[in-house]
Amino acid sequence: NAGVTQTPKFRILKIGQSMTLQCAQDMNHNYMYWYRQDPGMGLKLIYYSVGAGITDKGEVPNGYNVSRSTTEDFPLRLELAAPSQTSVYFCASSFTTGLRTNGYTFGSGTRLTVV
Amino acid sequence: KNEVEQSPQNLTAQEGEFITINCSYSVGISALHWLQQHPGGGIVSLFMLSSGKKKHGRLIATINIQEKHSSLHITASHPRDSAVYICAVSYGGSQGNLIFGKGTKLSVKP
């Protein structure tokens, strides 16, 4: 099992450019998440998905979009990149039913710089 | 809104020392998670617990539900334990989201 795979690991974008961060998991987890981690702060939820075809906003969704066409993939799209989106992005997944979860698996992160 | 507070923010120890990192939270939760993040690396889940105590190798995690407090202990610390340790809580519901503390940066000197 590869777990959660994120690509790319590093990227530099110019202001106004767009890009897609890829995330794939092979554990048949139903829930997937995108978080951003800023220096000195706890991770913040951007978007999450409870299953294929279903996505919802988290705490900091502005400037991002997601889709979940399959159980395995959960790409994060940045449109019109801004310096405020400079951060480290983590994708995660879990198998969650009702009030219970079996734990979370994280990707290795994408370090994004917008200049 | 659930707040997750960790202490200390930074911790330097000598190899072999016993280490404790603390986490407190403000509202009821379904589970508490301890995560490890190495410099430049990803995040690894160490423990998920909703009561009592769990042990894995030199790591021990405890939780006191009544006091809304958890501790992560490292026995016989080693330089390879140097990392950021993150406490996070989940409180169930349809979102399944984690609320994260800011992390404790641990440096173990040889």
Side-chain angles (χ1 to χ4, degrees):
Chain A
N1 280 349
V4 176
T5 302
Q6 273 185 250
T7 57
K9 291 192 184 303
F10 304 93
R11 184 74 186 267
I12 298 175
L13 278 183
K14 293 185 178 179
I15 294 171
Q17 287 185 321
S18 60
M19 76 164 293
T20 299
L21 281 67
Q22 301 291 344
C23 177
Q25 54 92 9
D26 61 359
M27 298 169 287
N28 203 31
H29 284 175
N30 53 347
Y31 279 54
M32 295 187 75
Y33 314 83
W34 275 106
Y35 294 96
R36 59 177 286 171
Q37 184 181 40
D38 298 315
M41 304 295 292
L43 280 77
K44 303 289 186 186
L45 182 67
I46 304 171
Y47 270 94
Y48 69 102
S49 168
V50 302
I54 306 169
T55 63
D56 209 344
K57 296 178 181 179
E59 188 178 354
V60 290
N62 291 345
Y64 307 95
N65 276 299
V66 292
S67 60
R68 184 100 180 266
S69 56
T70 65
T71 300
E72 294 78 18
D73 299 297
F74 191 42
L76 177 72
R77 178 84 176 160
L78 279 72
E79 306 281 3
L80 299 175
S84 61
Q85 293 177 304
T86 294
S87 190
V88 181
Y89 292 83
F90 287 95
C91 180
S93 71
S94 70
F95 188 76
T96 298
T97 57
L99 295 178
R100 298 187 64 82
T101 182
N102 70 338
Y104 295 77
T105 302
F106 289 82
S108 57
T110 297
R111 186 174 294 274
L112 175 67
T113 304
V114 182
V115 296
Chain B
K1 182 180 176 182
N2 202 0
E3 302 287 343
V4 179
E5 300 287 338
Q6 285 186 240
S7 62
Q9 282 187 293
N10 294 283
L11 181 57
T12 300
Q14 287 298 126
E15 183 174 356
E17 284 184 357
F18 180 83
I19 289 163
T20 296
I21 299 170
N22 296 299
C23 176
S24 60
Y25 52 93
S26 55
V27 300
I29 62 171
S30 61
L32 185 139
H33 307 255
W34 282 104
L35 311 167
Q36 181 190 57
Q37 184 176 26
H38 280 281
I43 296 171
V44 175
S45 179
L46 297 175
F47 295 104
M48 181 177 73
L49 63 165
S50 55
S51 65
K53 174 181 173 178
K54 287 191 175 180
K55 184 175 188 291
H56 181 70
R58 294 180 295 105
L59 301 178
I60 304 166
T62 64
I63 188 168
N64 185 317
I65 297 295
Q66 286 73 31
E67 294 185 5
K68 296 186 175 59
H69 180 269
S70 175
S71 293
L72 176 68
H73 305 287
I74 304 176
T75 62
S77 60
H78 189 276
R80 64 175 175 266
D81 297 325
S82 298
V84 175
Y85 292 84
I86 302 170
C87 172
V89 299
S90 54
Y91 47 93
S94 61
Q95 190 181 70
N97 185 30
L98 288 172
I99 306 297
F100 294 83
K102 295 181 180 179
T104 295
K105 185 175 181 179
L106 171 65
S107 178
V108 182
K109 306 294 186 186

